[in-house]
Amino acid sequence: MPLRPWLFLLAAVAVEVLGVTLMKRASGSGAWMPLLFMYAMIGLSFYFLALAVKRLPMALAYAAWETLGLVCVTFIGLRYFGESLSPARVLGLAVLLAGVVLVNLGAPRAQAA
């Protein structure tokens, strides 16, 4: 499978994480500009996701996008916002990661020419 759809997927994750982090920062400020930038990042994330699903199975792309985004946002919450990581959260993240691996294993493979 070509690398380009995976790069689009990683770009989608990166801008989604940026948008969600801005959501946390902007939620208490009342300023419009951070909120507009947040919406732009979320929209750009869906654009990159749409480019990725042109070549990747939709279930795989969406599962990976959501799970990688959640893992990144969890670590940002821990590092920058003082959020905690309980054993239940760790288990939930592990189950999500296992689910992405299983979805990837079940995805149809491209036939060799």
Side-chain angles (χ1 to χ4, degrees):
M1 191 172 289
L3 182 62
R4 182 174 285 175
W6 290 101
L7 294 176
F8 285 137
L9 185 61
L10 290 176
V13 170
V15 294
E16 178 208 15
V17 168
L18 178 60
V20 171
T21 303
L22 287 171
M23 184 187 310
K24 175 77 170 179
R25 302 272 303 167
S27 63
S29 72
W32 284 96
M33 286 306 289
L35 287 174
L36 291 175
F37 191 67
M38 175 204 71
Y39 286 125
M41 292 299 98
I42 299 294
L44 186 59
S45 176
F46 276 99
Y47 173 72
F48 284 134
L49 182 61
L51 293 175
V53 297
K54 285 183 179 181
R55 299 291 302 243
L56 297 175
M58 186 170 53
L60 169 63
Y62 184 76
W65 173 72
E66 196 62 40
T67 301
L68 291 174
L70 182 60
V71 168
C72 291
V73 167
T74 298
F75 285 116
I76 288 171
L78 288 169
R79 176 76 169 96
Y80 296 104
F81 298 110
E83 297 176 359
S84 63
L85 189 61
S86 67
R89 281 187 176 180
V90 172
L91 179 61
L93 291 171
V95 168
L96 285 170
L97 289 170
V100 170
V101 169
L102 291 173
V103 167
N104 190 15
L105 290 173
R109 301 286 175 219
Q111 297 290 331

